[in-house]
Amino acid sequence: MKNQLKTKILLFFGVCTLFGFNSNSIENDMIQKAESYYVKGEFQNSIVVYERILEMNLHSPSIYFNLGNAYFQINELGNSRWAYETGLIYYPRSSELRSNFETLKKTITNDIAIDSNTFNRILKMVTLNELINSICVLLFLLTILFILRKYRKINDIFYPNSIIIFSLFFLTFIIILKVILSKEFQGIVIANQPEVFIELENKIIDNNIVLFDGNKVSIINQKKNFYEISLIDGRKGWINKNQLRNL
């Protein structure tokens, strides 16, 4: 897989160079620096720069793609998965992110499948911004039809009006569902076999819950430096925040 990832990232660099980034010169310099580190095999340095770029609130499919690849090269599967999955939240139809993410999952020990609901997977193929933009377009069209009907004396537009109004209600419903789903916090384990506690006060370890680097869990609560997590089978426990990365 490492050879496949390296080939893909070099090809992706070429595409990014061709189309460019919509960012200022400092951000471009940082991106080029991160890419240069990666090509030289200095993956840890490349990761540091990419993480700084994300802290600057600069996002693109290539940034998450390359960051995930860099983490994979140093065998940090959890951080690699976090980069791919976070990228897919912003860019759910990115074939490069999807391809490497699916390949990565095959290397993760005891991968825990959470997203088994087909409807949820379909819902995640569009972003909240895309849905809001679609509503704005429909409202614009509805306004145009209203103006035509009022000032041009066109009465035979009930059918398109009905379609647009129905679409508006449907998209609003989808947006509400996405907002509800976004409140279901999930995280990626970034440590191999971290300690999971049944009780925080007495630090009682649950030996029945064994997690591996790259496993995905639901986050249901937090207290001090710990997250309470839940697995798909209903088991719960507490894990140190430093061993989990929020999606």
Side-chain angles (χ1 to χ4, degrees), residues 7 23 29 40-41 53 56 59 65 84 91 96 111 113 123 125 140 151 163 167 191 197 207-208 220 228 235-236 247:
T7 301
S23 57
D29 289 343
K40 292 176 183 177
I53 292 170
M56 296 167 63
H59 305 276
F65 180 86
Y84 292 143
Y91 310 98
E96 290 84 5
D111 186 33
L123 200 60
M125 292 307 292
F140 175 76
Y151 295 102
I163 293 177
S167 300
F197 300 98
N207 294 316
N208 294 319
I220 58 177
E228 185 179 14
R235 288 181 296 167
K236 299 178 182 179
L247 282 172

Side-chain angles (χ1 to χ4, degrees), residues 4-17:
Q4 292 176 340
L5 285 175
K6 192 167 185 177
T7 301
K8 286 183 178 181
I9 195 168
L10 290 175
L11 290 174
F12 212 73
F13 288 158
V15 173
C16 292
T17 303

